[in-house]
């Protein structure tokens, strides 16, 4: 996504007038399709209000939309452009929640329909999920848009300080992580220092213990530069799609 386009999308997400168009039928939490309108233009977005979250025993109530924003911040810090632009709005129709740029993609095309060539593009996805400790990487959370850009959505169950990695993407187990993917993580570790801009941005979304856990996972990858194998417990999400 070109910087000019990204800046325009951010501006509309942060200040555009929000009109609810419809409700997304799938998913455990209330999710709405909205249209945002500003002087600079219009765009569709996905709105996830805090008060529409189903209570969970392991994630604090009202924190899932903040984790959506944190995933976008992490994607941008790594310069991987995996997560669509996402912001937090306090003035949304059903109260505070996340707004994420809506990606136009065929919902029938996802991980379980990918061919070998498409799956070879998923190394950054697999690594991103390790870093963010994604507890819910379903097949349908991996999209390819009309311009063949790969996007990752639905990151409400990320960044827990305890190990919770659950994903369908286990294609690269024990494979060495390419140097081109390790370099951004080295930069990330430096950028996560307390008082840095990145640390301040993530502090608006995550608890300090969760930021420290992200830093610990990042350092572990650099010290053990191999894609991990499924751990104990339940390493797959449910449902899978």
């Amino acid at each position: 996504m070109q910087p000019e386009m990204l800046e325009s999308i951010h501006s509309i997400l942060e200040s555009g007038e929000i009109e609810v168009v419809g409700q997304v039928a799938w998913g455990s939490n209330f999710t709405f399709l909205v249209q945002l309108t500003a002087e600079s233009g219009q765009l569709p977005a996905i709105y996830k209000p805090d008060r529409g979250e189903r209570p969970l025993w392991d994630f604090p109530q009202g924190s899932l939309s903040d984790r959506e924003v944190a995933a976008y911040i992490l994607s941008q810090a790594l310069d991987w452009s995996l997560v669509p632009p996402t912001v937090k709005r306090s003035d949304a129709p059903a109260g505070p929640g996340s707004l994420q740029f809506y990606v136009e993609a065929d919902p029938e095309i996802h991980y379980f329909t990918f061919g070998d060539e498409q799956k070879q593009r998923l190394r950054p996805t697999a690594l991103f999920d390790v870093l963010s400790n994604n507890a819910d990487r379903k097949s349908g959370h991996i999209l390819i848009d009309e311009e063949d850009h790969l996007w990752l959505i639905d990151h409400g169950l990320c960044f827990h300080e305890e190990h919770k990695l659950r994903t369908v993407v286990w294609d690269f187990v024990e494979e060495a992580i390419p140097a081109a993917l390790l370099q951004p993580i080295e930069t990330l570790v430096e950028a996560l220092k307390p008082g840095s801009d990145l640390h301040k941005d993530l502090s608006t979304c995550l608890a300090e213990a969760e930021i420290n856990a992200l830093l610990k996972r990042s350092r572990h990858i650099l010290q053990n530069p191999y894609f991990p194998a499924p751990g104990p417990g339940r390493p797959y999400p449910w449902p899978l799609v």
Side-chain angles (χ1 to χ4, degrees), residues 73-110:
I73 293 172
L74 176 60
S75 172
Q76 292 301 104
L78 292 164
D79 199 25
W80 288 350
S81 190
L82 291 171
V83 179
T86 311
V87 304
K88 186 74 178 273
R89 285 281 293 267
S90 60
D91 60 344
S98 61
L99 283 176
Q100 183 173 89
F101 176 66
Y102 178 75
V103 173
E104 291 282 354
D106 185 344
E108 298 301 317
I109 299 176
H110 50 82

Side-chain angles (χ1 to χ4, degrees), residues 215-225:
L215 180 58
K216 184 178 179 179
R217 290 191 297 272
S218 302
R219 286 173 171 161
H220 179 79
I221 289 171
L222 295 177
Q223 293 166 0
N224 303 272

